């Protein structure tokens, strides 16, 4: 079938994107779903820094590629061997397909699925196939999802059925922003009532981490960002201390403004300076956790003697360090119960034809989760 999709042919840092237009809306061919795959109609797709990082070259991918990884969709057709979904079901996309058979999957760590990582790197579906093409030439899939398109073919392992009555705009946030941010707090840190936390970087993922820390009963939550508007929002969401590093002179002042060091420091910005800030705010015996994805060349020199003498822990968290088929439903239940106010994270809406303008808005430092509505 022929569909409209947003194609990236070359990485670009030429802002504004509304003028340079790195993403072009073109007609492409979408093949029928194979065994274990689904044809889905996209309803809402979130604009995420992970997509922006592909556009600007921080996270290089094979070109040409149809971008997008956070979405809610409706099932249109099920391929053979898909028996637990039916046309009309609502699903949330997951940006790492899990085979269920490799060692990490068997250990309950689907984010580290080996075949899933291979497929995502190669720009294919979990099967190793590509269902997108143009003029007989294959197009790359983005993390097995490619949701900046009217329709997509995805692996059954790339989506989770939504059993609650949510709008697609609400549901889409649970596939990346909430799954990643809340998961880092709940699964990786296992933050408990009475613990303290610092969230550095208040994008969609960082704000999701913040509301998860509130829901978990953290007694002190330090929000750190370069935007005063984001800090004001964080205050309304439950942050007890808000810090703009632009006005901080040194680490002593940073720690003082935070009310002291914390049990868990979270880097949600994907920048070396953000990680350094989170590490500085982490107490002796505490853990610094990063969910940001900076340029692969970025690195941080860890003070090894301090790590030993203070029993520090440094951890990464990918896909929320959990099990999407379990966690997405759990987070949705918390949202419906009023304990995880995901709706307060929703920003502007754009059409597919306005996608370059949408990424301009994201690149400007907007903290809320903007969405492409179909």
């Amino acid at each position: 079938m022929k569909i409209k999709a947003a194609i990236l042919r070359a990485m670009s840092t030429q802002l504004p994107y509304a003028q340079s237009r790195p993403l072009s809306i073109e007609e492409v061919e979408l093949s029928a779903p194979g065994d274990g795959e689904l044809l889905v109609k996209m309803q809402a797709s979130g604009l995420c820094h992970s997509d922006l990082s592909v556009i600007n070259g921080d996270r290089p991918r094979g070109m040409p590629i149809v971008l997008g990884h956070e979405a809610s969709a409706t099932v249109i057709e099920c391929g053979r061997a898909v028996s637990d979904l039916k046309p009309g079901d609502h699903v949330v996309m997951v940006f790492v397909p899990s085979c269920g058979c490799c060692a990490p999957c068997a250990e309950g760590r689907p984010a580290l699925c080996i075949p899933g990582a291979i497929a995502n790197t190669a720009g294919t579906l979990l099967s190793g196939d590509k269902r997108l093409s143009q003029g007989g030439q294959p197009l790359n899939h983005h993390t097995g999802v490619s949701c900046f398109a009217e329709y997509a073919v995805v692996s059954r392992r790339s989506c989770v059925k939504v059993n609650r009555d949510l709008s697609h705009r609400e549901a889409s946030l649970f596939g990346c922003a909430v799954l990643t941010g809340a998961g880092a707090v709940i699964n990786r840190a296992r933050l408990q009532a009475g613990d303290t936390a610092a969230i550095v970087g208040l994008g969609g993922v960082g704000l999701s981490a913040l509301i998860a820390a509130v829901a978990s009963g953290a007694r002190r939550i330090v929000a750190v960002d370069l935007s005063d508007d984001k800090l004001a929002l964080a205050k309304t969401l439950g942050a007890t201390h808000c810090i703009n590093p632009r006005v901080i002179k040194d680490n002593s002042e940073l720690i003082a403004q935070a009310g002291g060091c914390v049990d868990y420091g979270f880097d949600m910005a994907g920048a070396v300076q953000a990680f350094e800030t989170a590490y500085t705010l982490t107490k002796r015996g505490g853990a610094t956790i990063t969910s940001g994805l900076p340029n692969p060349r970025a690195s941080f020199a860890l003070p090894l003697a301090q790590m030993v003498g203070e029993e520090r822990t440094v951890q990464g968290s990918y896909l929320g360090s959990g099990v999407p088929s379990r966690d997405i439903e759990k987070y949705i239940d918390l949202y419906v119960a009023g304990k995880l106010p995901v709706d307060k994270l929703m920003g502007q809406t754009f059409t597919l034809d306005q996608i370059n303008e949408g990424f301009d808005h994201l690149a400007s430092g907007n903290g809320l989760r903007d969405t492409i509505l179909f």
Side-chain angles (χ1 to χ4, degrees):
M1 63 185 295
K2 294 187 182 299
I3 65 169
K4 287 172 58 179
I7 303 177
L8 179 70
R9 299 188 181 278
M11 291 170 283
S12 171
T13 57
Q14 297 179 20
L15 293 167
Y17 291 138
Q19 294 180 12
S20 61
R21 308 200 73 77
L23 291 165
S24 58
I25 309 303
E26 302 178 29
E27 186 176 81
V28 304
E29 188 73 28
L30 182 65
S31 301
D35 291 356
E37 295 175 352
L38 306 166
L39 171 66
V40 299
K41 178 177 173 58
M42 291 301 166
Q43 304 288 353
S45 299
L47 298 177
C48 176
H49 269 281
S50 294
D51 302 304
L52 182 59
S53 295
V54 179
I55 297 172
N56 68 22
D58 281 339
R59 301 293 297 178
R61 296 282 181 177
M63 304 288 161
I65 187 171
V66 176
L67 282 184
H69 68 281
E70 177 187 273
S72 175
T74 303
V75 175
I76 300 300
E77 179 185 346
C78 298
R80 291 189 304 175
V82 177
S83 58
D84 60 336
L85 291 174
K86 64 183 185 303
D89 283 344
H90 291 187
V91 290
V92 167
M93 301 293 108
V94 178
F95 61 88
V96 178
S98 55
C99 72
C101 301
C102 68
C105 286
E107 294 167 359
R109 305 183 74 182
L112 305 183
C113 175
I114 296 171
I118 292 172
N120 281 1
T121 301
T124 70
L125 300 185
L126 187 60
S127 63
D129 295 322
K130 295 181 180 180
R131 305 297 181 201
L132 290 163
S133 63
Q134 187 181 57
Q137 298 300 311
L139 301 172
N140 287 304
H141 295 259
H142 185 215
T143 65
V145 178
S146 292
C147 60
F148 295 153
E150 296 174 312
Y151 294 83
V153 169
V154 300
S155 168
R156 170 64 185 89
R157 299 283 186 168
S158 291
C159 57
V160 173
K161 183 180 178 181
V162 176
N163 296 310
R164 302 298 292 263
D165 187 20
L166 298 184
S167 72
H168 284 287
R169 186 181 176 194
E170 293 169 299
S172 66
L173 274 74
F174 289 88
C176 176
V178 179
L179 186 65
T180 301
V185 171
I186 295 170
N187 296 321
R188 198 60 166 152
R190 298 188 183 278
L191 189 146
Q192 299 180 8
D195 286 341
T196 56
I199 315 293
V200 183
L202 301 177
V205 174
L207 290 172
S208 294
L210 191 151
I211 61 176
V214 173
S216 298
R219 61 185 169 88
R220 178 162 52 95
I221 302 173
V222 183
V224 183
D225 200 276
L226 297 172
S227 166
D228 289 333
D229 289 340
K230 292 181 185 179
L231 292 171
L233 173 61
K235 188 72 173 178
T236 68
L237 293 174
T240 58
H241 296 68
C242 295
I243 301 173
N244 188 326
R246 294 186 195 278
V247 300
I248 299 297
K249 292 180 293 186
D250 52 35
N251 288 344
S252 295
E253 183 179 354
L254 174 68
I255 294 170
Q257 290 291 325
C261 289
V262 297
D263 298 302
Y264 299 100
F266 295 93
D267 159 34
M268 297 298 181
V272 174
Q273 279 188 309
F275 181 85
E276 184 177 21
T277 298
Y279 187 85
T280 298
L281 287 171
T282 304
K283 73 175 189 179
R284 296 166 60 91
T288 307
I289 298 169
T290 178
S291 288
L293 284 173
N295 189 295
R297 295 186 299 273
S299 62
F300 177 79
L302 289 169
L304 298 182
Q306 183 187 37
M307 287 186 68
V308 175
E310 298 184 2
E311 292 193 349
R312 294 285 203 104
T313 301
V314 173
Q315 298 175 303
S317 178
Y318 193 46
L319 200 70
S321 300
V323 181
S325 59
R326 173 201 68 197
D327 293 346
I328 288 176
E329 183 176 6
K330 176 170 66 177
Y331 300 153
I332 288 175
D333 284 346
L334 287 170
Y335 169 53
V336 172
K339 298 178 181 178
L340 208 63
V342 172
D343 56 317
K344 295 183 180 179
L345 311 186
M346 295 191 296
Q348 295 186 18
T349 61
F350 297 86
T351 65
L352 184 62
D353 291 330
Q354 297 171 320
I355 193 167
N356 289 294
E357 289 81 356
F359 277 111
D360 278 334
H361 192 239
L362 176 62
S364 72
N366 169 54
L368 299 177
R369 199 51 142 211
D370 294 336
T371 307
I372 300 292
L373 290 182
F374 294 87

